[in-house]
Amino acid sequence: EPHAAPLFEVGGTKMALPPRNYRLVHEDGSLHPKDDFEPMSFGMQRVHHETPPEPVWVQTSTARWMQSATEVVVIAHTVPKRLMTAARASLHVAFAPRQLHVACRATGEVFLHGELAARINPLASTWCTDGQQLTLTLAKANLMLYDTSAKGSDADTHWHRLLTADQYTERGMLDADYVDLPPHMKRRAKMEELERKAKEAQTREENECPLCGKDVRFFCDCRAADKDYERPLPEGWKNSKLGFRDALFDGIKYSTASASTLQPSPAPLPAPYRGAPT
């Protein structure tokens, strides 16, 4: 059944996420506290490289699953326990690069089937049962890790849904577990993170006001009364010294505070003739 739309408050305004058809649960299917989800700022997501995050499973009507950087563990919770005693003879489980199929051999009843959200390695994927539940371990193909041109979401190994027919999980709802990435990739990510932090620290130090200690680009007003002082622009802002021009406003200098300097708007054009009024 669809999950009730959760309410959260941003700046004193109450908002509601769209209804969802999945829940966040523990491995046994009991409701997880994180199911009461409140979005993170700017759709951000926590990423773990050193220690794995707390296990959180996503449960839909046909499956319960969680993931790491290299694999997805799926529990087909709709498979009857009576089929577990002789699972190899009773169940038909098939893997394909973008397909997953679980059915009863005798009756043909399908318990889990669909197109996967991303490619897997079917030869490295396995399934087993402890007599109580059927567990499938899908080995992610992770081809994007070896594509140096992949950027942003195209380079992310984190799945936001199990099957393409499933609803996307809200970004930030699940922490990204990258603990089992290959060592050389973890080292590269670590070095990139250290370089980014060093650059941010250098920029922060260069723009720190010696009087108040605030960032002169945003918060410092110590020299606001100095007409000869030009406040530095944050990185990424348009800077006229770099040669950026907007031809539409070339040569136009006016202040909206002085109405006399504003040019009057042209007279409206006459409406087209529509015939004699009836």
Side-chain angles (χ1 to χ4, degrees), residues 10-11 44 74 85-86 90 118 143 165 180 219 225:
V10 176
M44 299 180 69
V74 182
T85 54
S90 305
L143 299 179
D180 56 348
F219 310 111

Side-chain angles (χ1 to χ4, degrees), residues 19 52 116 193 214:
L116 295 168
E193 178 71 8
K214 297 179 180 179

Side-chain angles (χ1 to χ4, degrees), residues 203-215:
T203 304
R204 193 182 306 113
E205 182 179 357
E206 292 174 350
N207 292 281
E208 182 180 350
C209 176
L211 300 178
C212 65
K214 297 179 180 179
D215 193 320

Side-chain angles (χ1 to χ4, degrees), residues 1-277:
E1 296 181 359
H3 193 285
L7 294 174
F8 63 98
E9 189 169 328
V10 176
T13 303
K14 290 187 177 181
M15 304 180 67
L17 293 173
R20 48 188 170 92
N21 56 8
Y22 61 86
R23 300 191 307 164
L24 299 188
V25 299
H26 295 282
E27 184 177 1
D28 60 359
S30 59
L31 195 66
H32 196 283
K34 280 195 171 184
D35 189 68
D36 185 14
F37 172 66
E38 182 171 328
M40 297 179 64
S41 299
F42 305 105
M44 299 180 69
Q45 181 182 38
R46 293 185 179 90
V47 177
H48 299 257
H49 288 281
E50 303 298 333
T51 56
E54 178 187 5
V56 180
W57 297 71
V58 181
Q59 179 165 300
T60 63
S61 59
T62 57
R64 184 183 312 136
W65 62 280
M66 67 172 294
Q67 63 180 313
S68 66
T70 59
E71 65 182 24
V72 181
V73 180
V74 182
I75 296 177
H77 60 79
T78 58
V79 179
K81 291 184 179 180
R82 56 182 172 79
L83 300 178
M84 301 295 181
T85 54
R88 186 171 295 275
S90 305
L91 295 175
H92 173 60
V93 181
F95 301 107
R98 286 294 298 266
Q99 294 283 338
L100 182 62
H101 183 81
V102 178
C104 176
R105 289 186 182 274
T107 64
E109 181 182 0
V110 177
F111 303 111
L112 178 59
H113 175 81
E115 180 183 1
L116 295 168
R119 292 178 65 90
I120 64 170
N121 182 353
L123 299 179
S125 301
T126 61
W127 65 275
C128 64
T129 178
D130 59 357
Q132 299 295 319
Q133 63 186 18
L134 178 68
T135 303
L136 306 94
T137 303
L138 313 180
K140 294 181 178 180
N142 283 348
L143 299 179
M144 71 288 291
L145 294 179
Y146 306 96
D147 183 2
T148 56
S149 64
K151 303 294 181 182
S153 59
D154 294 333
D156 191 4
T157 67
H158 185 83
W159 291 16
H160 294 282
R161 56 181 177 176
L162 177 64
L163 304 175
T164 56
D166 293 340
Q167 186 178 357
Y168 283 102
T169 57
E170 295 287 342
R171 183 163 183 83
M173 196 174 219
L174 300 172
D175 293 358
D177 182 5
Y178 293 156
V179 174
D180 56 348
L181 276 175
H184 70 283
M185 293 182 178
K186 292 177 67 175
R187 173 178 170 77
R188 183 177 64 186
K190 184 68 173 179
M191 294 304 295
E192 291 175 353
E193 178 71 8
L194 292 176
E195 290 177 1
R196 182 186 64 81
K197 289 184 177 180
K199 183 179 179 181
E200 289 180 353
Q202 180 182 359
T203 304
R204 193 182 306 113
E205 182 179 357
E206 292 174 350
N207 292 281
E208 182 180 350
C209 176
L211 300 178
C212 65
K214 297 179 180 179
D215 193 320
V216 297
R217 298 169 298 172
F218 305 103
F219 310 111
C220 172
D221 291 323
C222 296
R223 301 182 64 181
D226 187 352
K227 296 181 179 180
D228 297 327
Y229 174 67
E230 183 177 350
R231 185 189 297 270
L233 294 175
E235 183 180 358
W237 282 32
K238 183 181 292 187
N239 188 345
S240 59
K241 295 179 181 179
L242 300 180
F244 295 108
R245 296 173 58 240
D246 194 333
L248 183 63
F249 296 101
D250 272 358
I252 299 178
K253 295 182 179 179
Y254 60 83
S255 171
T256 55
S258 303
S260 59
T261 62
L262 299 179
Q263 297 180 359
S265 58
L269 297 174
Y273 179 72
R274 301 181 182 277

